[in-house]
Amino acid sequence: MVETLPYGSWPSPFTAAWASGASPRIDGAAFVGDEIWWGQSVPEEAGRTTVRRRPDARDVRVGDDANGGDVADVLPAPWNARSRVHEYGGGSWAAGDDGSLYFVEKTDQRVWALRPGADPVPLTPADGATSYGGLRFTRGRLLAVREWRGEGVVRRGIVEIALEREASVRQLVGDSDFVAQPDLSPDGTHLAWVAWDHPNMPWDRTEVRVGRIDDGRVRSWAAVTAGETAALEPTWRSDTDLVYLDEPTGRWNLWHRVHTGDGFGPAEPIAPTDADTGGALWSLGARWYGVLDDGRIVAVRTNGADELVAIGADGESSRIDLPATSELNVEAVSGGRALVSGKAPGTSGLWLVDAEARTARQVVGTPSEIDEQWMPATRAMTTAGPHGEVHAFVHPPTNPGAVAPAGERAPYVVMVHGGPTGHEGGVADAKTVYLTSRGIGVVQVNYGGSTGYGRAYRERLRGQWGVVNVDDVVAAAAGLAGTAGEGGAGDGGVGDAGGADGGAGGVGLADPDRIAIKGGSAGGWTVLAALARTDAFAAGISRYGVADARALATDTHDFESRYLDGMIGPLPEADELYRERSPLTHVDGFTAPVLLLQGSEDRVVPPAQSEAIRDALAERGIPHAYRLYEGEGHGFRRGDTIVDATEAELAFLGAVFGFTPPDVPPLTLD
């Protein structure tokens, strides 16, 4: 029987604990002998990252989840594979050919070796100032990115780690501020890597470099790319053929150059297309393609949503049938197969891909058991903003057992990703279904600055952080509600919000008086800035959001210490602009209730940022709630934290929008 109930109060079988468990965080994968290994965050174990294994996926029963069947931990508790390089880590483990596991232990940031039948032993010395990440076991050698912090400076280099207990760590190269993604040529004579310097970020300008290894070190090198684009992920297809990602056309595509003995030949494109193979290199483990044994390539292509393709020797590409269409990573390749992580409707995990058959099946994570009746009909939406088109994905409220009273329009949450170079692929994941099944719509906005739409769209935010992103989310909200904007953060405001494309039918879906905005980190900055400088939103949820740009530039870690040079301007020249853009400067503009969620150990956006906003809201008498989660950093990993934060957000929306969620404790606003 279908009940008539107000939006937001619909009964749902999907709990916060379910949403957490249905979305495992995958951290790398590998083919190891007859097994598949993968890294996975375990919320019920305080969010530690373990490495797990199961038999080769050709023998896996579809329907087994990551906690059942023949799954076992390679890395037992309490060991925790987490890297601190760049604070975002990535590449915290690698597998050897003999079944050895090499991993970065979170507590001491040393590299350890766990061999079959033995206890872990350290391979790197303990000094308290050094971290390792981006581990790569290649051609029988263990490479890593080493980060050393001390005496007021940070130094990085690519190192080779000897495989015996604390034998040696030898630096191969280290003559730039940042290095990433090393790869050895098959004959072991040449090293390729990515390098860049302050104030650039790895999506601004980088170089792919190649150097000959002489007596255990790269004595000289040459740049393979021009340094005016963001080149990424060099991979040797043979001793002389180097494949990499570059964007001279404005789209990240595959390119290659052949070494002739006198240097490299001209750059040649591989299957060029109007889509991106590449993204923002926040994690050292990020990879967007893999070269198969026969030279074919399995690659991610992004143009709004993600797709996976196989590219033949003739350059022809064909789509691989993969249910995941967001946050795809090609984790490993072997023979004609690949391991690909990502998000699919209602679930996330790891898929085994057969490049020849162009098929895939999920081998890690819980295959979606959600009846299609519960899945929202996700639609792409493009609205007109003052800076150009704004791309978004709409997930309407969906519940087969409930409808809203006639004439009632749905509350919506505008989701703002972080980065701000992040990207949403339009997947209704478990956390989205948690809301839509209760009668709360979700719209994911890829505002100007997002990846996945080409360099020009990404650079729309350059020098305009706090303006373009705010105007774009306001335009998306106005387009969803079918209203004209009341003015954004930039000159001229929002203007005509326009309509929805792709059959979205988005205009008029949302109740304009019940649109909330939610985001984390840089997304939290957008939340706070939109609340302080517009009246487009009736409520805001900020997870570890930036409130004071000047303080962030002073307090944050080295990786992002010059990030704001490009997004706002260099200091001290742009000091007044930092003050003007910061939400904390405009506390008089806050009128809507705010929920602030923060980790106590966040080194990227310290708790002082959220607490400054909390104090300002309290002084102005604005309803708010603040939750500080002990032991959490930049992004929540502990199971109890994830559940509490998810339920608190739902209770907050109910308190502000006037509905009572049937299965979560109420939230008191100060």
Side-chain angles (χ1 to χ4, degrees), residues 282-617:
W282 286 98
S283 165
L284 289 173
R287 293 192 173 272
W288 294 274
Y289 74 95
V291 178
L292 302 175
D293 288 357
D294 60 4
R296 289 178 300 158
I297 295 174
V298 172
V300 180
R301 284 180 176 169
T302 306
N303 192 21
D306 293 348
E307 68 173 4
L308 194 69
V309 298
I311 302 173
D314 57 1
E316 292 296 315
S317 60
S318 53
R319 189 176 182 276
I320 294 172
D321 185 16
L322 183 73
T325 57
S326 181
E327 299 184 19
L328 297 188
N329 262 283
V330 180
E331 305 284 3
V333 293
S334 178
R337 301 179 299 156
L339 291 170
V340 179
S341 62
K343 286 185 177 181
T347 186
S348 63
L350 189 70
W351 282 261
L352 177 78
V353 171
D354 184 324
E356 186 66 35
R358 299 192 298 279
T359 58
R361 57 174 168 169
Q362 190 173 6
V363 296
V364 175
T366 304
S368 177
E369 298 176 354
I370 305 174
D371 190 288
E372 288 188 4
Q373 296 179 92
W374 290 95
M375 293 303 300
T378 300
R379 291 161 284 183
M381 182 179 79
T382 300
T383 61
H387 313 282
E389 290 184 339
V390 181
H391 301 292
F393 292 97
V394 179
H395 311 279
T398 305
N399 185 315
V403 295
E408 183 180 355
R409 295 169 72 181
Y412 264 77
V413 178
V414 172
M415 297 288 192
V416 189
H417 63 68
T421 53
H423 174 77
E424 291 288 353
V427 164
D429 60 9
K431 293 175 183 177
T432 299
V433 173
Y434 177 78
L435 293 176
T436 58
S437 64
R438 287 168 165 75
I440 303 168
V442 173
V443 57
Q444 301 166 326
V445 182
N446 286 318
Y447 50 88
S450 304
T451 51
Y453 299 93
R455 187 176 181 102
Y457 194 79
R458 191 168 82 242
E459 291 202 326
R460 185 189 292 180
L461 199 61
R462 193 163 184 84
Q464 296 296 309
W465 196 41
V467 178
V468 166
N469 51 318
V470 173
D471 286 345
D472 284 0
V473 296
V474 170
L480 193 69
T483 61
E486 297 297 330
D491 296 337
V494 173
D496 183 4
D501 72 358
V507 172
L509 283 177
D511 181 346
D513 297 323
R514 292 195 297 171
I515 299 179
I517 183 171
K518 171 188 170 181
S521 189
W525 157 278
T526 302
V527 169
L528 298 174
L531 293 175
R533 305 184 67 182
T534 80
D535 59 1
F537 301 99
I541 300 170
S542 170
R543 290 189 172 206
Y544 33 88
V546 178
D548 184 342
R550 188 65 179 83
L552 181 69
T554 302
D555 298 339
T556 196
H557 57 125
D558 183 67
F559 177 63
E560 294 182 81
S561 62
R562 301 289 301 278
Y563 190 10
L564 301 190
D565 284 27
M567 291 202 298
I568 299 178
L571 289 170
E573 297 87 343
D575 189 78
E576 179 58 28
L577 195 56
Y578 278 65
R579 190 198 70 80
E580 170 60 25
R581 296 275 181 85
S582 295
L584 195 59
T585 304
H586 301 280
V587 293
D588 288 349
F590 279 92
T591 58
V594 184
L595 173 62
L596 302 163
L597 305 173
Q598 178 71 45
S600 68
E601 297 181 4
D602 194 336
R603 296 184 179 91
V604 178
V605 181
Q609 295 264 344
S610 291
E611 289 165 3
I613 287 291
R614 175 202 61 190
D615 295 344
L617 294 172

Side-chain angles (χ1 to χ4, degrees), residues 103-105 108-112 122-126 130 132 166:
F103 67 97
V104 180
E105 164 56 35
D108 61 14
Q109 290 298 291
R110 302 167 76 185
V111 177
W112 293 70
L123 300 183
T124 59
T130 305
Y132 297 86
E166 296 185 74

